[in-house]
Amino acid sequence: MSTTICQVMGFLVSSLGVGGSIMATAMDTWSTQDLYDNPVTAVFQYQGLWRSCVRQSSGFTECRPYFTILGLPAMFQAVRALMIVGIVLGLLGLFVCIFALKCIRIGSMEDTAKANMTLTSGIMFIVAGLCAITGVSVFANMLVTNFWMSTTNMYQGMQNVQNRYTFGSALFVGWVAGGLALVGGIMMCLACKGLIPEESRYKAVSYNASGRNISYRTGPYKGGPGYEADPRTRKGVGYEEAPRSEDGRRPYPSKYDYV
């Protein structure tokens, strides 16, 4: 029962993580304008992975997608790639995990096959969570670098007002989603051990004799050369006792007579 609960909980937690990664990737609030010490408050700008938006004080919002790919920074494109790879691996892990659930029986699937599928889905969830966490962290590092560069230029007496951007809500959603996917993958890997049958963990080794079984039977003692048993006790094929006379003696000596 504990294995089933661990597997189901891992599936649910991983599902939340994958869903959060999709939500974070689609959100437009990866970076938001820092309004601290900014005299222009009538316009609020925020950016995402796919477009940038401007919201006016009247409530009107206008978004413009990025029409270029090569013109974007390399790190920005790397964040896009990491998030997409994490989403693809997470969806594949969910698809595999559905058939690996112990509470779902499909045909004559053995527990060993379910254990292998559970381990595979757990590894996919772990990699998906790491991709999401890495992508969000790289974007956050870019924001921190640009923020301090903009702050330095502002305090050096430059007349032009520069917009500084800080963390948006999408970054926190991405961090939480990556952590959930990572925890769910670990739970799936732990549930894999309980699905392996006991007889397949320890295989008995049988030892067989190299030759045929030989049965030994006791028999009469066989003497060495020069020794023969008493002929009177020997009864064999082709043995005939010599005729005896009236007094009990043989008419001629026999090889069985002893002096």
Side-chain angles (χ1 to χ4, degrees):
M1 181 62 68
S2 60
T3 302
T4 305
I5 294 176
C6 182
Q7 190 183 34
V8 173
M9 289 299 297
F11 173 74
L12 295 178
V13 173
S14 301
S15 301
L16 293 176
V18 175
S21 298
I22 296 174
M23 183 184 302
T25 306
M27 292 176 66
D28 296 328
T29 55
W30 279 68
S31 59
T32 58
Q33 184 179 358
D34 185 22
L35 299 179
Y36 176 75
D37 198 16
N38 190 349
V40 181
T41 58
V43 178
F44 179 72
Q45 299 181 5
Y46 53 93
Q47 298 176 353
L49 294 180
W50 312 103
R51 59 182 183 175
S52 60
C53 300
V54 176
R55 186 178 62 194
Q56 299 179 1
S57 58
S58 60
F60 178 76
T61 302
E62 181 181 1
C63 295
R64 181 181 180 183
Y66 302 125
F67 294 105
T68 180
I69 297 179
L70 300 178
L72 297 175
M75 299 299 293
F76 192 87
Q77 297 181 9
V79 172
R80 279 182 171 182
L82 287 172
M83 298 303 296
I84 292 175
V85 170
I87 292 173
V88 172
L89 288 177
L91 292 177
L92 289 177
L94 290 177
F95 180 77
V96 175
C97 186
I98 291 175
F99 296 97
L101 292 176
K102 191 176 181 180
C103 57
I104 298 177
R105 179 66 61 180
I106 300 177
S108 59
M109 185 179 296
E110 299 180 354
D111 292 338
T112 305
K114 284 184 173 292
N116 294 332
M117 295 175 67
T118 302
L119 180 61
T120 303
S121 62
I123 294 175
M124 288 184 178
F125 290 144
I126 292 175
V127 176
L130 292 177
C131 287
I133 294 174
T134 304
V136 174
S137 300
V138 170
F139 194 91
N141 183 52
M142 293 171 54
L143 286 179
V144 172
T145 304
N146 294 332
F147 181 87
W148 290 113
M149 289 180 61
S150 301
T151 303
T152 303
N153 294 332
M154 290 177 61
Y155 283 100
Q156 285 179 354
M158 298 183 62
Q159 299 297 327
N160 297 329
V161 178
Q162 295 184 357
N163 294 329
R164 296 182 303 179
Y165 292 90
T166 184
F167 294 170
S169 58
L171 296 181
F172 301 100
V173 174
W175 272 319
V176 173
L180 290 176
L182 185 61
V183 172
I186 294 175
M187 295 179 66
M188 295 296 292
C189 293
L190 294 177
C192 170
K193 185 178 180 180
L195 293 175
I196 301 177
E198 293 292 338
E199 58 271 8
S200 62
R201 295 183 186 178
Y202 308 99
K203 297 182 179 179
V205 181
S206 59
Y207 297 92
N208 297 325
S210 58
R212 298 181 179 178
N213 295 331
I214 302 175
S215 59
Y216 297 91
R217 291 179 296 180
T218 59
Y221 174 76
K222 183 177 181 181
Y227 172 81
E228 292 183 352
D230 189 358
R232 297 175 184 178
T233 60
R234 293 179 56 185
K235 299 294 182 179
V237 180
Y239 173 78
E240 295 181 1
E241 187 178 1
R244 299 177 180 271
S245 60
E246 295 179 357
D247 56 358
R249 295 183 178 180
R250 296 187 180 89
Y252 53 86
S254 175
K255 64 179 180 179
Y256 298 106
D257 292 338
Y258 296 90
V259 179

